[in-house]
Amino acid sequence: MEIKKVALGGGCHWCTEAVFLSLRGVIKVEQGFVSQKGEQSSFSEAIIVRYDPVAISMKDLIEVHLHTHQSTSEHSFRHKYRSAVYVFSKNDFNESNQILKALQIDFKKKLITRTYYFEAFKPSDEQFHNYYYSNPEKPFCKSYIDPKLKVLMNRYSRFMKTATDTDILLG
């Protein structure tokens, strides 16, 4: 099986991690901080997603990403929560930009999400890994992650793992 990877940033990495751990075809999600090559190379919250491109495409991952964070909003925390797709190759850079352009039609406002070349990754503290599936009843999860998972369920249920798959996440 070929395994590809892409890094995604846009909101709290606890939220983003929960969304992508819930998708079929996602093999592993690493939560932490990503920087890109070139301008604005400071670290911001993000995840690295390792996935099986036969089970779920980069287009599907990016589409889910755009609809589960504020991908059209230049809010005051954008330095911490950069709306981004971080790629590892020139082919993925070009594909990501084409996908973003094609998906603009789904949004009334202009997407602010940009494609960057991945530079570096710093994992978050171990205590925060698998945050949602370890703490689903915590107020943060109820307030911020549950609404994103509801979008995922309502709009992208065809990509979601089954209850048995999710039980594996819970250990």
Side-chain angles (χ1 to χ4, degrees), residues 68-81:
T68 55
H69 82 281
Q70 295 177 348
S71 57
T72 61
S73 174
E74 279 289 5
H75 55 73
S76 62
F77 285 100
R78 273 296 167 218
H79 65 284
K80 182 178 179 182
Y81 303 127

Side-chain angles (χ1 to χ4, degrees), residues 150-162:
K150 189 171 188 171
V151 169
L152 188 65
M153 179 84 81
N154 290 337
R155 190 170 183 143
Y156 300 104
S157 60
R158 67 191 180 278
F159 298 136
M160 291 188 72
K161 291 178 177 171
T162 65

Side-chain angles (χ1 to χ4, degrees), residues 27 36 46 50 59 76 85 87 91 95 99 124 135-136 143 162:
I27 311 297
Q36 75 269 5
R50 294 179 195 279
K59 179 194 175 290
S76 62
V85 178
V87 297
N91 285 342
E95 181 181 359
I99 292 167
S124 60
N135 305 287
S143 296
T162 65

Side-chain angles (χ1 to χ4, degrees), residues 2-164:
E2 176 190 14
I3 296 176
K4 293 192 70 171
K5 63 183 176 177
V6 64
L8 303 166
C12 167
H13 50 347
W14 297 351
C15 298
T16 311
E17 176 192 53
V19 167
F20 288 89
L21 279 174
S22 301
L23 298 176
R24 279 192 327 259
V26 170
I27 311 297
K28 182 178 182 181
V29 177
E30 296 173 82
Q31 175 202 117
F33 304 88
V34 170
S35 69
Q36 75 269 5
K37 293 181 180 178
E39 296 177 29
Q40 298 179 355
S41 61
S42 62
F43 284 89
S44 63
E45 290 192 26
I47 59 170
I48 298 175
V49 177
R50 294 179 195 279
Y51 66 99
D52 173 0
V54 173
I56 192 163
S57 69
M58 182 190 281
K59 179 194 175 290
D60 296 331
L61 293 170
I62 292 173
E63 183 175 349
V64 166
H65 181 56
L66 294 176
H67 286 280
T68 55
H69 82 281
Q70 295 177 348
S71 57
T72 61
S73 174
E74 279 289 5
H75 55 73
S76 62
F77 285 100
R78 273 296 167 218
H79 65 284
K80 182 178 179 182
Y81 303 127
R82 188 175 300 119
S83 184
V85 178
Y86 302 93
V87 297
F88 296 83
S89 72
K90 185 175 182 176
N91 285 342
D92 286 349
F93 185 88
N94 293 334
E95 181 181 359
S96 175
N97 282 328
Q98 290 171 356
I99 292 167
L100 289 170
K101 186 176 180 181
L103 291 174
Q104 178 61 61
I105 197 165
D106 290 351
F107 299 87
K108 292 180 180 169
K109 293 181 179 179
K110 183 171 174 47
L111 289 169
I112 62 162
T113 309
R114 297 288 171 259
T115 304
Y116 300 102
Y117 285 103
F118 176 91
E119 175 71 20
F121 178 74
K122 293 191 292 191
S124 60
D125 289 339
E126 182 76 30
Q127 67 180 336
F128 299 121
H129 295 188
N130 200 14
Y131 188 81
Y132 178 80
Y133 285 105
S134 299
N135 305 287
E137 298 302 319
K138 287 212 171 187
F140 182 90
C141 295
K142 292 292 186 192
S143 296
Y144 297 101
I145 301 175
D146 279 353
K148 293 173 187 303
L149 294 176
K150 189 171 188 171
V151 169
L152 188 65
M153 179 84 81
N154 290 337
R155 190 170 183 143
Y156 300 104
S157 60
R158 67 191 180 278
F159 298 136
M160 291 188 72
K161 291 178 177 171
T162 65
T164 304

